[in-house]
């Protein structure tokens, strides 16, 4: 008679690696989160008691822990340091995600070279290109450094062997989806492989106090590819954004264990490489000698950072029964709402005109505070009267035509004054506009009709 065991026999079952949904048979798509290719077989076993092991390093009082070992190390790229909260933390694992061609590899190669020039060893593991191809890009963007090492590897064991041999202070893996482990079934980029690769690299980073930057791919809808567990394991998750036909790139932190997530870094991607933009407002504002109707400057907030942007509008008599409404850089539904408010609440008849509303420089404006600038630009195009020069406007417009307060009124005014603007139309707020710079004129309005008086006088 067979002896009894404390462990139950495995029963075949299937579980989603993303949300944990279970099924009795394999399916290609999860029935809960609707993700494809995440359902895997697993065996259900009863819980077992793990015996206590010998403690190798006893717990210490928190006051006795040396916090200087986790101090920020500047990367040499100010805009990246701004987003990370001050620089790289030893032992931290940072995931940088973005669409193909947005400039992730170029940015990290520039970071690797500048960090290596401080005398630290940097290991750049590339699984998508050969070492020669990376060298060509490094020469083009002046990112060649004596202590920067390249390794073209797709095997996780070989990559960890390179880490053991070199013991770098900074490790860059481009990308985490290209590495695979021989101990795990599945092809590179699969859920199981990405989980194993990330866990092994993170363990090595924590053990060696080695800062690690991982490049991650994104799906068609812009989310990070692979299991959600990947985002939970790392310390920092950054999104690198930008239009393919624009030089501007924005870096945002959506998760940061060492700092805030409400700041944004701006970069200019050009033929010579990538460089940080301390003052990117010039990319979003056109330069004309004379005032032009249909244009208005606004100040939008990207995290805690105020940026000036220009909204342009063009109206033309429509030859169709249904006028055309075209937008670029703005939400089409919100622009359509503002056109209706202008017609019903301000008497600006637009039902027979084709309207085209766009931003300058390819910037995307989704903040409600840009409503007032859009409305003024459309009204200016309709009346063919230009707004005064050196004027900015911001405020949220409601369906009743009221202009609502927005956060950071004084911060926006200070930024406009710094860049040479002298007038502002802002929403009336109980807290007021704060301290107004000398020589700067502020007009508070509570309704859209009050702002449109500028085009009448």
């Amino acid at each position: 008679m067979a002896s009894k065991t404390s462990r139950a026999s495995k029963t075949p079952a299937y579980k989603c690696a993303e949300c944990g949904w279970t099924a009795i048979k394999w399916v290609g798509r999860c029935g809960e989160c609707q993700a494809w290719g995440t359902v895997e077989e697993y065996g259900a076993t009863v819980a077992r008691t793990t015996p206590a092991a010998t403690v190798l390093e006893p717990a210490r009082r928190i006051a006795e822990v040396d916090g200087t070992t986790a101090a920020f190390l500047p990367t040499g790229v100010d805009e990246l340091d701004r987003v990370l909260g001050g620089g790289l933390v030893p032992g931290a694992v940072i995931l940088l995600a973005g669409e193909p061609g947005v400039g992730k590899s170029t940015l990290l190669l520039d970071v690797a070279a500048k960090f290596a020039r401080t005398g630290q060893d940097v290991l750049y593991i590339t699984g998508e290109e050969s070492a020669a191809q990376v060298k060509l890009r490094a020469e083009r963007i002046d990112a060649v450094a004596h202590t920067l090492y390249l390794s073209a590897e797709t095997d996780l064991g070989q990559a960890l062997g390179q880490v053991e041999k070199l013991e770098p202070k900074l490790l860059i893996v481009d990308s985490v989806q290209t590495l695979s482990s021989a101990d795990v079934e599945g092809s590179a980029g699969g859920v199981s492989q990405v989980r194993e690769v990330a866990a092994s690299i993170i363990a090595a980073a924590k053990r060696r106090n080695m800062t690690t930057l991982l490049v991650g791919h994104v799906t068609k809808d812009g989310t990070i590819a692979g299991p959600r567990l990947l985002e939970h394991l790392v310390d920092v998750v950054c999104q690198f954004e930008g239009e393919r036909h624009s030089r501007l790139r924005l870096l945002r932190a959506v998760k940061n264990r060492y700092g805030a997530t409400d700041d944004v870094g701006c970069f200019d991607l050009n033929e010579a490489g990538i460089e940080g933009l301390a003052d990117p407002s010039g990319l979003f504002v056109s330069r004309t000698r004379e005032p032009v109707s249909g244009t208005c400057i606004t100040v939008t907030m990207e995290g805690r950072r105020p940026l000036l942007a220009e909204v342009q509008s063009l109206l033309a008599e429509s030859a169709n029964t249904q006028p055309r409404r075209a937008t670029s850089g703005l939400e089409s539904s919100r622009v359509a709402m503002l056109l209706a408010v202008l017609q019903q609440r301000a008497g600006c008849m637009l039902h027979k005109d084709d309207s085209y509303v766009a931003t300058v420089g390819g910037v995307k404006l989704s903040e409600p505070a840009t409503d007032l600038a859009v409305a003024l630009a459309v009204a200016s195009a309709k009346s063919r009267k230009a707004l005064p020069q050196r004027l900015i406007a911001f405020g949220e417009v409601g369906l009743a035509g009221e202009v609502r307060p927005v956060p950071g009124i004084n911060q926006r005014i200070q930024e406009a004054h710094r860049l040479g603007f002298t007038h502002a139309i802002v929403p009336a707020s109980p807290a007021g506009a704060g301290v107004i710079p000398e020589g700067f004129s502020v007009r508070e309005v509570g309704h859209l009709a009050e702002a449109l008086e500028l085009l009448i006088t």
Side-chain angles (χ1 to χ4, degrees):
M1 183 176 180
S3 61
K4 294 182 180 180
T5 61
S6 61
R7 184 177 178 181
S9 60
K10 290 186 177 181
T11 57
Y14 298 86
K15 183 178 180 179
C16 176
E18 293 281 352
C19 65
W21 177 78
T22 59
I24 60 174
K25 63 179 182 179
W26 183 86
V27 291
R29 188 177 189 180
C30 174
E32 180 67 25
C33 65
Q34 304 298 315
W36 288 95
T38 60
V39 179
E40 301 174 339
E41 183 179 358
Y42 78 104
T45 61
V46 297
R48 293 177 296 177
T49 302
T50 302
T54 303
V55 176
L56 300 178
E57 184 177 352
R60 293 178 290 170
R61 300 178 187 272
I62 190 171
E64 299 173 356
V65 177
D66 185 9
T68 59
T69 58
F72 287 105
L73 300 176
T75 63
V77 181
D78 294 338
E79 292 298 301
L80 177 60
D81 292 342
R82 175 202 294 268
V83 176
L84 296 179
L88 301 175
V89 176
V93 180
I94 303 166
L95 177 64
L96 178 64
E99 296 183 353
V102 76
K104 303 183 298 296
S105 300
T106 303
L107 173 61
L108 293 186
L109 188 59
D110 183 53
V111 171
K114 290 181 178 178
F115 194 82
R117 286 169 186 156
T118 63
Q120 306 286 354
D121 288 340
V122 179
L123 176 58
Y124 190 106
I125 297 178
T126 172
E128 300 180 349
E129 300 174 282
S130 66
Q133 290 173 325
V134 176
K135 172 68 179 304
L136 287 176
R137 188 192 306 118
E139 291 177 340
R140 177 172 58 85
I141 66 174
D142 190 24
V144 178
H146 180 67
T147 56
L148 172 58
Y149 297 84
L150 297 179
S151 176
E153 294 288 353
T154 57
D155 181 75
L156 176 61
Q158 294 292 329
L160 293 177
Q162 296 282 3
V163 173
E164 293 281 345
K165 182 178 179 180
L166 185 62
E167 297 184 354
K169 287 296 183 181
L170 175 62
L171 171 66
I172 298 177
V173 179
D174 186 9
S175 65
V176 68
Q177 280 93 351
T178 60
L179 293 181
S180 61
S181 173
D183 299 329
V184 178
E185 295 182 358
S187 59
V191 174
S192 301
Q193 287 287 354
V194 171
R195 186 189 299 114
E196 175 65 20
V197 169
S200 300
I201 293 177
I202 291 172
K206 301 300 183 183
R207 184 174 63 254
R208 296 177 172 277
N209 211 28
M210 172 184 64
T211 306
T212 303
L213 292 167
L214 305 177
V215 175
H217 295 165
V218 296
T219 59
K220 292 181 179 180
D221 58 355
T223 58
I224 300 175
R228 295 287 293 185
L229 179 66
L230 178 61
E231 298 179 51
H232 294 293
L233 288 175
V234 299
D235 301 305
V236 182
V237 179
C238 294
Q239 287 277 2
F240 205 39
E241 307 169 356
E243 293 291 334
R244 185 175 295 273
H245 304 291
S246 173
R247 292 167 46 184
L248 177 69
R249 298 293 185 267
L250 297 179
L251 180 67
R252 308 174 191 271
V254 296
K255 172 189 176 182
N256 192 351
R257 289 175 177 167
Y258 311 112
T261 58
D262 57 353
D263 216 334
V264 62
C266 298
F267 296 87
D268 181 18
L269 183 65
N270 50 52
E271 295 179 355
I274 191 167
E275 57 185 41
L277 293 176
D279 188 9
S281 298
L283 296 176
F284 310 143
V285 179
S286 62
R287 296 286 184 259
T288 55
R289 295 182 179 179
E290 299 295 333
V292 180
S293 62
T295 64
C296 185
I297 310 296
T298 187
V299 184
T300 183
M301 296 295 292
E302 288 289 347
R304 295 179 296 175
R305 188 174 192 173
L307 298 176
L308 266 70
E310 181 174 340
V311 178
Q312 295 185 339
S313 175
L314 177 64
L315 300 179
E317 185 176 353
S318 179
N320 304 319
T321 306
Q322 184 71 24
R324 185 177 182 184
R325 305 286 189 249
T327 62
S328 176
L330 296 159
E331 294 182 3
S332 57
S333 59
R334 195 155 192 91
V335 172
M337 181 200 74
L338 292 172
L339 295 178
V341 172
L342 277 169
Q343 179 161 313
Q344 295 298 321
R345 305 298 185 185
C348 190
M349 307 308 293
L350 305 170
H351 60 286
K352 294 183 180 180
D353 294 327
D354 292 332
S355 64
Y356 305 87
V357 186
T359 59
V360 172
V363 62
K364 289 185 177 180
L365 302 179
S366 58
E367 190 187 17
T370 60
D371 289 351
L372 186 57
V374 173
L376 287 174
V378 173
S380 173
K382 180 64 178 179
S383 64
R384 297 186 180 180
K385 292 183 179 179
L387 292 168
Q389 283 188 310
R390 304 189 181 280
L391 169 75
I392 64 162
F394 56 85
E396 181 182 357
V397 178
L399 293 178
E402 78 278 13
V403 181
R404 301 171 182 168
V406 295
I409 292 179
N410 187 260
Q411 189 176 0
R412 299 173 200 254
I413 291 175
Q414 296 292 340
E415 178 69 9
H417 176 260
R418 185 181 71 84
L419 295 177
F421 289 82
T422 57
H423 299 76
I425 302 178
V426 304
S429 172
V435 180
I436 306 301
E438 184 178 355
F440 197 92
S441 174
V442 175
R443 179 175 180 179
E444 296 186 359
V445 296
H447 195 275
L448 182 58
E450 299 178 37
L452 296 181
E453 291 178 1
L454 283 175
L455 299 174
I456 301 176
T457 57

